[in-house]
Amino acid sequence: MRLALFDLDNTLLGGDSDHAWGDYLCERGILDAVEYKNRNDAFYQDYLAGKLNLNDYLNFSLEILATTEMDQLAEWHRDFMRDCVEPIILPKALALLDQHRAAGDKLLIITATNRFVTGPIATRLGVDTLLATECEMADGRYTGRSTDVPCFREGKVTRLNRWLEENGFSLQDSYFYSDSMNDLPLLEKVTHPVAVDPDQNLHAEAMRRGWKVMSLRD
C-alpha cells in the first residue's frame, strides 16, 4: 500500500492550528490577551523564519495543559474546533484526501503541532494515523511537558522511520504534501514531494528541484 503523507498547518488547513489555539485562549480571556499573544506571535514568526527554538516554544505552549482539568480542556477544544478549525478546513484539501483514499493509499498526517491540538483535527479530516509532537501525561492529566522526539524538521523523519519499521510500510512511491521549508528533510525522502501553497523558501527550492507545486486555496 502506497503512503500519502500530509503536513497539517497551512497545508490541509488554511491556517496554523497551533497558533490559532493560542489566539483562541487569548480571545476567550483564558490567557493574557497581550503578554501571551505577543509571545505566541513571536514564536510563530520564528517558525516562519526557520529559527524556532522548539523546546522553548513547547514549554510555553503546553503549560496551559498542566494547569487545567481534562474536562475543561475537552470543552475548550470542542469550541476551538467549531469556531477556529472548521472555518479553515479547505474543500480542496478534503478532495485531495479523498483522491488518495480512492486510490487505496494509506493516509498519514505528520505535524509538529502537539497531539492535544491536532488529534481531533485528524479525526475530523478522516485520517486515522497521526504523528504529532507528544504531550506527556501522568496520573490521567497533562504535565505540561513534551515527550518522545518532537515531530519537527529532522524529527519528522525520525518519527516516521520508526512508524514505518513498526507497521511494515516503506516510502516506495510515497507522497508528502507540505507548505514549509522546515519540512525539507522529509520532502527529500519521499518519491513524490509536493509543495502546497509553499512559503517563499520552499517555493524556490521546489522550482530548483523540479518538484510539483500546487495550491489548495485558489
Side-chain angles (χ1 to χ4, degrees):
M1 184 181 291
R2 184 174 62 179
L3 276 178
L5 312 171
F6 302 87
D7 178 49
L8 180 64
D9 298 312
N10 290 309
T11 301
L12 293 178
L13 298 178
D16 186 286
S17 62
D18 209 1
H19 188 257
W21 169 245
D23 282 349
Y24 166 85
L25 295 172
C26 292
E27 290 164 3
R28 300 309 189 278
I30 298 163
L31 293 174
D32 186 276
V34 176
E35 181 181 356
Y36 187 95
K37 182 171 174 53
N38 285 343
R39 290 195 66 197
N40 195 40
D41 289 349
F43 277 121
Y44 187 52
Q45 290 305 312
D46 285 348
Y47 168 78
L48 294 176
K51 58 180 184 179
L52 177 66
N53 184 314
L54 186 62
N55 288 331
D56 287 349
Y57 176 68
L58 290 174
N59 289 335
F60 164 75
S61 63
L62 298 182
E63 182 179 3
I64 186 67
L65 302 186
T67 58
T68 309
E69 297 294 331
M70 297 295 286
D71 288 348
Q72 181 65 79
L73 286 171
E75 180 182 337
W76 287 344
H77 203 295
R78 286 192 294 271
D79 291 345
F80 170 68
M81 289 291 295
R82 180 193 65 225
D83 297 340
C84 305
V85 175
E86 285 293 335
I88 61 172
I89 292 176
L90 301 169
K92 287 187 176 181
L94 296 176
L96 178 63
L97 292 169
D98 283 343
Q99 175 185 324
H100 279 282
R101 285 191 193 96
D105 299 336
K106 169 65 177 176
L107 276 58
L108 187 152
I109 289 174
I110 184 163
T111 175
T113 301
N114 69 76
R115 183 174 294 274
F116 167 77
V117 169
T118 58
I121 301 174
T123 298
R124 166 64 179 86
L125 297 175
V127 179
D128 295 332
T129 304
L130 169 68
L131 296 182
T133 296
E134 300 294 342
C135 307
E136 184 183 66
M137 298 192 73
D139 300 322
R141 62 180 297 162
Y142 293 107
T143 67
R145 297 183 292 270
S146 64
T147 185
D148 206 342
V149 177
C151 203
F152 183 57
R153 294 183 182 154
E154 292 81 2
K156 282 192 176 183
V157 177
T158 300
R159 292 283 303 279
L160 179 62
N161 282 341
R162 184 200 305 163
W163 183 89
L164 293 173
E165 183 175 349
E166 291 173 349
N167 291 276
F169 282 85
S170 78
L171 291 179
Q172 182 177 353
D173 202 24
S174 57
Y175 285 77
F176 179 41
Y177 297 86
S178 176
D179 72 293
S180 176
M181 190 66 172
N182 286 305
D183 282 336
L184 185 62
L186 183 50
L187 286 163
E188 291 178 327
K189 298 293 185 183
V190 300
T191 309
H192 306 286
V194 184
V196 179
D197 298 293
D199 62 37
Q200 184 176 0
N201 290 333
L202 180 57
H203 187 275
E205 190 71 14
M207 291 294 96
R208 185 178 72 83
R209 295 180 183 235
W211 292 349
K212 181 178 180 180
V213 177
M214 65 181 292
S215 176
L216 297 177
R217 304 190 190 204
D218 57 18

